[in-house]
Amino acid sequence: MNADVESVYYSQEQIQARVAELGRRLEEFYTDKNPIFLCVLKGGCVFFADLIRACAFPLETRFIKASSYRDGVSSSGMVDISGDAGTEIAGRHIVIVEDILDTGITLKRMRAYLEELGPASVSICVLLDKKERRVETVDADYIGFSCDNLFFVGYGLDYAEKYRNLPYVGVLKPEIYS
Ligand code: PRP
């Protein structure tokens, strides 16, 4: 285990099992729809890479960057969106794939941005749903784990751009960020 991590919260095995289940659930609705799976960078990249391989049906991929302005830990409410996901969205089924739904500021903004482009549908798939922290009204349609309000890193989640490559989701030691 990484020395900055207090405990492993969701192991690599638990995550893989849950991702496989999500793939099967997504198949129930999307199997004949050739959806666009939209990876929200950077945090969503690891989950996205595993999720698309757990989906045994035709799909396309796109990548978009969302940057929320933070003081290291909490969001300021401002979100910048950039990338090429805005092209050829009209009439398509979109699945937004994110690592974490926290305050909901990022995904509320992202969903509104996409809905203006005339998609057939937009759904949200997140690995972690931290409901306790919600500020905006936004729910995920597909959830890996409903989680506690702890400082998680790994499996795409960072602190100061570190730890994204850990194969598990762990709790960061408080002395690292305080
Ligand atoms: C993280 C995460 C989500 C967002 C969730 O991204 O990947 O996009 O925060 O928080 P919210 O629900 O409070 O908006 P971050 O801005 O840290 O960028 P990153 O994905 O590049 O790490």
Side-chain angles (χ1 to χ4, degrees):
M1 192 171 69
N2 185 290
D4 297 346
V5 169
E6 195 168 75
S7 60
V8 174
Y9 209 79
Y10 299 112
S11 70
Q12 193 169 2
E13 292 73 24
Q14 278 175 294
I15 294 169
Q16 291 313 311
R18 191 70 189 118
V19 168
E21 284 172 15
L22 287 173
R24 289 192 289 271
R25 273 204 54 216
L26 285 156
E27 186 168 2
E28 289 169 18
F29 183 73
Y30 291 104
T31 191
D32 296 321
K33 295 187 169 67
N34 190 31
I36 293 173
F37 275 45
L38 183 60
C39 175
V40 184
L41 297 169
K42 303 174 199 169
C45 68
V46 179
F47 177 45
F48 183 85
D50 283 344
L51 185 70
I52 59 171
R53 287 177 291 173
C55 291
F57 54 88
L59 58 83
E60 294 177 19
T61 58
R62 302 272 174 85
F63 297 82
I64 196 163
K65 174 86 182 104
S67 307
S68 49
Y69 295 93
R70 293 164 187 275
D71 59 6
V73 179
S74 56
S75 177
S76 69
M78 305 247 304
V79 183
D80 250 3
I81 293 177
S82 58
D84 68 346
T87 55
E88 297 160 16
I89 291 284
R92 301 294 301 273
H93 293 276
I94 312 298
V95 181
I96 306 173
V97 181
E98 257 284 29
D99 54 349
I100 187 163
L101 177 48
D102 189 7
T103 64
I105 291 168
T106 305
L107 279 170
K108 182 157 183 161
R109 168 98 172 77
M110 181 69 67
R111 173 177 251 166
Y113 167 79
L114 293 167
E115 277 171 352
E116 282 191 5
L117 302 171
S121 70
V122 177
S123 72
I124 294 173
C125 179
V126 295
L127 178 72
L128 301 180
D129 183 9
K130 220 187 235 184
K131 279 209 169 68
E132 200 184 311
R133 293 250 312 154
R134 204 77 90 251
V135 171
E136 294 287 356
T137 308
V138 53
D139 286 320
D141 304 275
Y142 303 91
I143 297 167
F145 303 99
S146 293
C147 64
D148 295 325
N149 185 14
L150 297 169
F151 202 123
F152 294 115
V153 292
Y155 200 71
L157 292 147
D158 76 309
Y159 172 62
E161 296 298 331
K162 291 172 72 180
Y163 315 110
R164 294 192 199 274
N165 59 318
L166 301 179
Y168 52 81
V169 172
V171 179
L172 193 62
K173 287 180 178 169
E175 60 262 37
I176 304 297
Y177 58 87
S178 56

